[in-house]
Amino acid sequence: MLFSRSVVVGAYVVMLLIFSIAAGDTFLTSGTLKDVLDQAAVPVILVCGLTLVLAVGEFDLSFTATVGLTAGIAIVLMAQHDVPVVLACLIALLAAVVVGLLVGFLVTLGQASSFIVTLAVGSAVTGLELALTGNETIYQGIPTSFTDLASNTILGLKWPVWLAALVLAAAAVLLHRTRFGRHVRATGGNATAAYLAGVKTRRVRIAAFAITAFLAGLCALVLTSRASSYYPDSSAGFLLNTYAAAFLGAAIGRWRGFTVAGAAFGVLWIVTLQTGLTQLSAPAWTANFVQGIVLATAVLIASRGRKGLA
């Protein structure tokens, strides 16, 4: 794991040096740091949930669809039905959890592949989102008390950054310092052995999917507040980036497998890359191209690290 950690961290340092030289005085500034942290807030929250699912030995391809559905429900309730902000957000988050529970039950009780189940559920959830919103952008009638949330600052940082930090700390404690976290890692390591040892592996899997969906719902509220609107496919681009961050985290983690802190560093790695390319006015395709290479490399490094520990 020392080799894997050195490669990933070393590549990040080299990237910082390259962007600092190429972008001049505009890259290593407090303004850039605040922008990186703000842009990292949503991916950090998402990757905290995804890390739980990956640690339990499953995949989730539906969380971006859950983001879209939650955003659609919240905005439609607030803008078109005059539902109070807090109640609309709670209903939207409840819908997100229901999606997560549904995925969990289908995967565990149906003993189906999580890859196929989450792909199918994600498609169905996206259909519900488009039916609910009419596949139209909604920007009128949204309360300012909601749209102002993402722009409010605490100690110079926007509140989504603090929310992401809170979620990160809670997820790290949950996965690495609680009985539930030990059960998650045991189930992901060897589900049969964990079951024979008394771990309720089905409940653990269902809980992991439900937590992931809830965090996806939180991200939806942050995104819609930040944009002051709902627009279709608002979660586009998060699927690849979130998985890339999680596997980067697995490449540098202390334990065998996925870690919350490592995944958060993976998000920082990717957002720094995106910010640097933007400041250099790189072509739009560059970010996707490099991120694809990063994901493939991270998977290979993580796999090499796990084999080294086996």
Side-chain angles (χ1 to χ4, degrees), residues 39-40 49-50 54 85 141 178 181 235 301:
Q39 293 303 314
L50 180 62
L54 292 173
V85 171
T178 66
S235 58
I301 293 176

Side-chain angles (χ1 to χ4, degrees), residues 204-219:
V204 170
R205 285 194 177 104
I206 292 172
F209 281 111
I211 293 171
T212 299
F214 173 76
L215 293 180
L218 279 182
C219 290

Side-chain angles (χ1 to χ4, degrees), residues 16-278:
L16 288 178
L17 291 174
I18 292 174
F19 286 145
S20 300
I21 295 172
D25 297 333
T26 62
F27 185 71
L28 289 181
T29 64
S30 60
T32 299
L33 176 60
K34 290 180 180 180
D35 183 59
V36 167
L37 292 176
D38 186 48
Q39 293 303 314
V42 168
V44 163
I45 297 173
L46 283 176
V47 85
C48 285
L50 180 62
T51 299
L52 287 176
V53 171
L54 292 173
V56 87
E58 303 290 354
F59 281 90
D60 190 352
L61 301 179
S62 67
F63 65 87
T64 53
T66 303
V67 171
L69 178 64
T70 307
I73 291 174
I75 294 301
V76 166
L77 289 176
M78 284 186 278
Q80 300 180 0
H81 299 282
D82 297 323
V83 176
V85 171
V86 174
L87 181 58
C89 291
L90 290 176
I91 293 173
L93 288 174
L94 178 60
V97 173
V98 169
V99 173
L101 290 173
L102 174 62
V103 170
F105 278 114
L106 289 176
V107 170
T108 58
L109 300 182
Q111 297 183 344
S113 165
S114 59
F115 187 91
I116 301 300
V117 168
T118 56
L119 186 63
V121 171
S123 178
V125 167
T126 299
L128 289 176
E129 173 199 347
L130 298 181
L132 177 67
T133 62
N135 198 24
E136 296 180 350
T137 299
I138 302 173
Y139 58 90
Q140 294 181 330
I142 304 174
T144 55
S145 59
F146 178 74
T147 58
D148 289 344
L149 284 175
S151 59
N152 291 336
T153 60
I154 303 175
L155 299 177
L157 297 176
K158 295 181 179 179
W159 79 265
V161 176
W162 295 107
L163 176 63
L166 179 62
V167 170
L168 176 63
V173 170
L174 182 65
L175 182 58
H176 304 302
R177 293 291 184 268
T178 66
R179 181 182 180 185
F180 173 76
R182 291 193 295 272
H183 288 178
V184 166
R185 297 197 303 275
T187 302
N190 189 320
T192 302
Y195 176 78
L196 294 176
V199 176
K200 299 184 184 300
T201 55
R202 287 183 175 180
R203 291 185 183 179
V204 170
R205 285 194 177 104
I206 292 172
F209 281 111
I211 293 171
T212 299
F214 173 76
L215 293 180
L218 279 182
C219 290
L221 300 180
V222 173
L223 286 171
T224 49
S225 175
R226 181 184 289 166
S228 299
S229 64
Y230 160 85
Y231 55 94
D233 204 23
S234 59
S235 58
F238 283 115
L239 184 64
L240 176 63
N241 290 349
T242 307
Y243 269 96
F247 278 98
L248 277 172
I252 67 172
R254 290 176 56 193
W255 291 279
R256 186 182 306 181
F258 299 93
T259 66
V260 173
F265 175 77
V267 170
L268 182 64
W269 206 107
I270 293 171
V271 173
T272 301
L273 171 67
Q274 294 172 334
T275 302
L277 291 175
T278 299

